[in-house]
Amino acid sequence: MPLLPSVLFVCVHNAGRSQMAAGWLSHLAGDRIEVRSAGSRPAAEINPVAVQAMREVGIDITGHQPKILTVDAVEGSDVVITMGCGDACPIFPGKRYEDWALADPARQDIEAVRIIRDEIRERIEKLIATLTTAR
């Protein structure tokens, strides 16, 4: 049985964008893709407005915790998607890297976070299509 493709979402605090992306990918891809997320400087907790925005579309990310970005997480992933972490993300040969320019949901109201959430969903749907047809 082939190994599942693995995706790592990285942002600075691992509290908003990367958590929403991980939630979307888990929800939309099910068990077809392994999902990870991490931050270069993780926050103490997930952004409550991001949790609220995801809950509105039926995805519960309340049980998730911000995690520190490790070399092992990058090495163990096929695709590394960064979201505003700049040079904090280690680069390894043979990995697919994408940088998603997304607004930071920190200190944003729910209307702004909904826009970010929906943009992430669009990107996740395209990502799933490339990962599931490439195998």
Side-chain angles (χ1 to χ4, degrees), residues 17-35:
R17 293 167 289 192
S18 56
Q19 292 288 351
M20 289 192 291
W24 271 124
L25 186 56
S26 294
H27 179 76
L28 295 172
D31 59 1
R32 297 178 294 159
I33 299 171
E34 185 180 356
V35 181

Side-chain angles (χ1 to χ4, degrees), residues 1 3 12 36 40 71 82 91-92 98 106 115:
M1 184 169 150
L3 292 172
V12 176
R36 299 181 173 112
S40 54
V71 168
T82 58
I91 304 293
F92 291 95
E98 292 183 21
I115 293 167

